[in-house]
Amino acid sequence: RRESIQKALNSSLGVSNDNNEASEHIAKPSILPVVVGGTMMYLQWLVHGRPDAIRPTVEAVERATNKIDSFRIDTESDAIASKPNDSLLESIDKDEPIKEDDLSNDETAWKEASDYVSSLGPVFAKRVDKLPGRDWYRLRRLLEVAYTIASKNNQKEKSEQEILQHLTEKEVYTGIRSGSLPDLGYDVRCFFLCPDERMTHFHTVDSRCEQMLLRGLLKETADLHVRGGLPEGSQVTRAIGYRQALEYLNRTDAKRGDEGAFAAFVDVFATATRQYAKKQMQWFRRDESFAFVPVKMEWE
């Protein structure tokens, strides 16, 4: 996708895609290329360039995944064990949707997991503080980097904790990104269209989730799953929409006419989408390259 955008920009400015030099023989009217859309990380790569994060080892990825999972599983077990059985039965009898946070105790799990990553050293604590909300993917990536560095600097006289505690920012991250549009000579202006009213925005997000369901999200997910198009642990399987749909379709207590389970699925799906929308605004507010433009949203 990045290459497609690059070629489109070159074409609009009369620049050769082969050597990135201005073409003297092509006379074209002035065109203003506009790139619309894109998630947080993709746009950051496009505007600021590729990050300098260390490529993790296979062992580090597996270890980090298991460690993060252990925090989420432990707190989920504690939350279920601490809830009286008759209270759970009462919720089921009333067909009330059980909120995701009530079951997984996600906030407690995040606190314990983020505290652990922060305890590895000042460099990692600083990165944890910059995370926008409960970003489990990026928290795990920090842990992958830590475990990779520790394994590559393994010394008999020093423990893993000692190695990580004394790392400097430059030893972990150079802070230098490469391949940004400004580096390629483009004058980039960035804008974020920000909803002017929070509740109206949330209603719009909920409506979009409902439209995705009406247009066949569950059938699409089921078809992909059957064909092996949603492998466990893959990036696409973790995507909002697919993840919640898979959990709903693969539930072990499925039964006909289970309106309570469907209502709970829709609630969890919409909540995750709203949280992601909020996280995007938090992310872009910290990027001084983006100017926020209030937009009036309409909802019926």
Side-chain angles (χ1 to χ4, degrees), residues 2-40:
R2 184 185 177 89
E3 291 180 358
S4 299
I5 293 175
Q6 179 68 58
K7 289 180 179 179
L9 288 171
N10 288 347
S11 176
S12 68
L13 298 176
V15 176
S16 169
N17 284 316
D18 296 327
N19 54 19
N20 211 32
E21 295 179 356
S23 173
E24 299 178 357
H25 306 289
I26 302 178
K28 291 189 175 182
S30 178
I31 298 176
L32 176 64
V34 177
V35 179
V36 181
T39 57
M40 301 173 288

Side-chain angles (χ1 to χ4, degrees), residues 160-173:
E160 178 180 272
Q161 186 75 6
E162 289 176 312
I163 293 173
L164 297 177
Q165 285 289 338
H166 293 89
L167 286 173
T168 64
E169 183 79 17
K170 289 185 178 180
E171 288 177 299
V172 183
Y173 303 99

Side-chain angles (χ1 to χ4, degrees), residues 101-215:
D101 282 353
D102 290 339
L103 287 177
S104 66
N105 206 2
D106 202 50
E107 186 173 351
T108 301
W110 174 262
K111 176 73 167 57
E112 294 178 357
S114 59
D115 284 350
Y116 168 75
V117 177
S118 296
S119 71
L120 296 178
V123 172
F124 303 102
K126 182 180 179 181
R127 294 276 168 165
V128 170
D129 290 339
K130 290 182 178 180
L131 293 178
R134 297 196 290 270
D135 193 331
W136 288 102
Y137 173 74
R138 288 177 180 81
L139 187 69
R140 196 196 74 215
R141 285 286 294 116
L142 282 174
L143 203 50
E144 291 172 3
V145 170
Y147 288 157
T148 299
I149 292 175
S151 65
K152 290 183 177 180
N153 292 275
N154 188 22
Q155 302 175 22
K156 292 182 179 180
E157 65 273 13
K158 286 187 178 182
S159 66
E160 178 180 272
Q161 186 75 6
E162 289 176 312
I163 293 173
L164 297 177
Q165 285 289 338
H166 293 89
L167 286 173
T168 64
E169 183 79 17
K170 289 185 178 180
E171 288 177 299
V172 183
Y173 303 99
T174 64
I176 300 174
R177 287 176 169 266
S178 59
S180 69
L181 288 179
D183 288 343
L184 298 174
Y186 297 107
D187 180 10
V188 181
R189 309 297 173 91
C190 305
F191 303 92
F192 186 92
L193 304 184
C194 178
D196 64 345
E197 206 281 314
R198 185 168 61 92
M199 292 310 298
T200 302
H201 180 222
F202 283 172
H203 285 310
T204 303
V205 171
D206 289 347
S207 177
R208 179 183 178 186
C209 292
E210 293 172 2
Q211 288 298 317
M212 290 175 68
L213 290 170
L214 291 173
R215 292 173 181 173

Side-chain angles (χ1 to χ4, degrees), residues 32-52:
L32 176 64
V34 177
V35 179
V36 181
T39 57
M40 301 173 288
M41 185 176 293
Y42 173 71
L43 281 180
Q44 190 173 54
W45 280 42
L46 184 66
V47 175
H48 301 296
R50 300 179 184 86
D52 59 346

